Amino acid sequence: QVQLVESGGGLVQAGGSLRLSCAASGRTFSSNVMGWFRQAPGKEREFVAAINWSDGNQEYAASVTGRFTISRDNAKNTVYLQMNSLKPEDTAIYYCACAARRGVEYGYWGQGTQVTVSS
């Protein structure tokens, strides 16, 4: 059992920044990969970024590379998504999720936090 709680979403103008947080609790030792996903109305959920708890290796979707940074604080069991140079197309509900390892399904999901970027 893993519980994930996202926070930090809000309304921001294009070009601005937001920092999302995902606090993990429960059996976090069973989840070695943390990821951020997003879903806009009428669109499929898409991968944004992922990070390994153990070594900090990161992966990003092409659409956010160079603008977003994923990081983690192991002591706090918290994963962050720093979002810079935000665009209206970044508007979506952002979800935190965890997976046992690379190559397997994300089994636990947070409730999501809304990010709205105005033009």
Side-chain angles (χ1 to χ4, degrees):
Q1 277 284 321
V2 177
Q3 296 81 46
L4 304 172
V5 180
E6 303 98 331
S7 62
L11 174 65
V12 65
Q13 291 185 336
S17 298
L18 283 174
R19 190 191 194 195
L20 306 183
S21 298
C22 174
S25 61
R27 299 186 66 188
T28 56
F29 60 84
S30 66
S31 300
N32 295 316
V33 178
M34 300 295 297
W36 286 98
F37 295 76
R38 66 187 183 186
Q39 187 168 23
K43 296 183 178 180
E44 298 286 336
R45 183 182 63 202
E46 65 174 337
F47 169 79
V48 175
I51 189 168
N52 292 341
W53 278 111
S54 58
D55 58 16
N57 284 350
Q58 304 154 48
E59 181 183 358
Y60 298 94
S63 60
V64 306
T65 297
R67 299 188 299 122
F68 291 10
T69 303
I70 188 170
S71 62
R72 90 285 198 228
D73 185 332
N74 296 66
K76 296 181 179 180
N77 285 338
T78 300
V79 177
Y80 305 96
L81 185 68
Q82 178 66 47
M83 306 185 295
N84 299 326
S85 301
L86 283 162
K87 305 173 181 179
E89 51 263 44
D90 294 318
T91 295
I93 300 176
Y94 283 71
Y95 297 92
C96 179
C98 62
R101 62 186 187 276
R102 285 179 173 269
V104 302
E105 294 293 325
Y106 285 81
Y108 296 93
W109 297 81
Q111 83 288 350
T113 185
Q114 177 70 48
V115 172
T116 302
V117 184
S118 64
S119 59

